[in-house]
Amino acid sequence: MKIAIIGVTGRAGSRIAAEALSRGHQVTGIVRHPEQAGAPVGVSLVKADAADPAQLVEALRGHDAVISAARFQTVKAAPLLAALKAAEVPRLLVVGGAASLEVEPGAILLDSPSFPAEYRVEAEPGKQFLDDLRGETDIDWTFLSPSALFAPGERTAQFRLGKDQLLCDTQGKSHISMEDYAIAMIDELEHPQHSRQRFTVGY
């Protein structure tokens, strides 16, 4: 497939790009400053501001799917969806956050008293992004939330999938490496199981 990745130079985006390339997909990185971008070898860089729908439409045209690994503070759901529709790209996969996952029925991680205040600046718009996606019926979207601890690590290919509940291991730790997260994302790209749904991945 021909995939465009927004946020391809970030920690998650670069690992998703590497996973996609290793499986033979064509990857385009949407970046504001191609001359400064440090994307994985094999990524074709295209200059466009993801917050500018007009630029984004031209950059996305001709792709089979878009993966957004951008910060929710800068890229919002409505203009991104509008750009995909104008570019006639049928699928959107989003690197989500863990804050909107349930820790018990009806209670999400974001609303926990212990949720770090410094993470709210990204977590709150992330939850809003998911809420906005849930009203979308034209684009085939998927929102993949990582576990609470989401950091570079090992590619083990050993993990579990869930839906809207935070996953924890047998020691009560909620974690996933960015490398294993990338596997789950590209698996979903190749074999869609969560059309217009959110799901999660963890150990």
Side-chain angles (χ1 to χ4, degrees), residues 95-98 101 144-150 166 174 176 181 199-201:
V95 176
L101 291 166
L144 176 52
S145 288
S147 291
L149 296 175
F150 184 40
L166 186 73
S174 176
I176 188 70
Y181 177 96
F199 74 113
T200 188
V201 57

Side-chain angles (χ1 to χ4, degrees), residues 78-138:
L80 180 56
L81 289 166
L84 264 75
K85 291 173 189 177
E88 300 182 334
V89 179
R91 291 188 70 196
L92 171 65
L93 297 96
V94 179
V95 176
S100 57
L101 291 166
E102 290 184 347
V103 290
E104 57 183 68
I108 63 172
L109 185 62
L110 180 61
D111 295 335
S112 301
S114 59
F115 191 84
E118 62 270 24
Y119 293 163
R120 288 187 175 276
V121 67
E122 179 68 6
E124 288 175 351
K127 178 182 179 296
Q128 184 60 54
F129 195 107
L130 176 58
D131 289 343
D132 292 344
L133 282 181
R134 283 175 165 153
E136 173 59 37
T137 56
D138 293 328

Side-chain angles (χ1 to χ4, degrees), residues 4 6 27 30-31 36-37 49 60 69-70 82 92 105 135 148 172 183 199 202:
I6 299 168
V27 178
I30 308 300
V31 293
Q36 300 173 12
D49 185 344
L60 299 183
L92 171 65
I183 295 174
F199 74 113

Side-chain angles (χ1 to χ4, degrees), residues 1 3 5 13 15-25 27 67 91 93 144 155 159 179-192 199:
M1 280 182 269
I3 309 157
I5 300 180
R15 286 163 173 82
I16 292 166
E19 182 69 27
L21 289 166
S22 75
R23 302 194 197 186
H25 300 292
V27 178
I67 298 175
R91 291 188 70 196
L93 297 96
L144 176 52
R155 186 187 187 280
F159 49 79
E179 288 77 5
D180 280 341
Y181 177 96
I183 295 174
M185 178 67 86
I186 301 303
D187 284 351
E188 179 67 23
L189 174 76
E190 294 177 342
H191 306 286
F199 74 113

Side-chain angles (χ1 to χ4, degrees), residues 43-71:
V43 174
S44 299
L45 298 178
V46 172
K47 183 176 181 178
D49 185 344
D52 183 333
Q55 289 185 31
L56 203 51
V57 170
E58 293 310 310
L60 299 183
R61 202 180 301 279
H63 290 84
D64 300 304
V66 172
I67 298 175
S68 177
R71 293 175 66 84

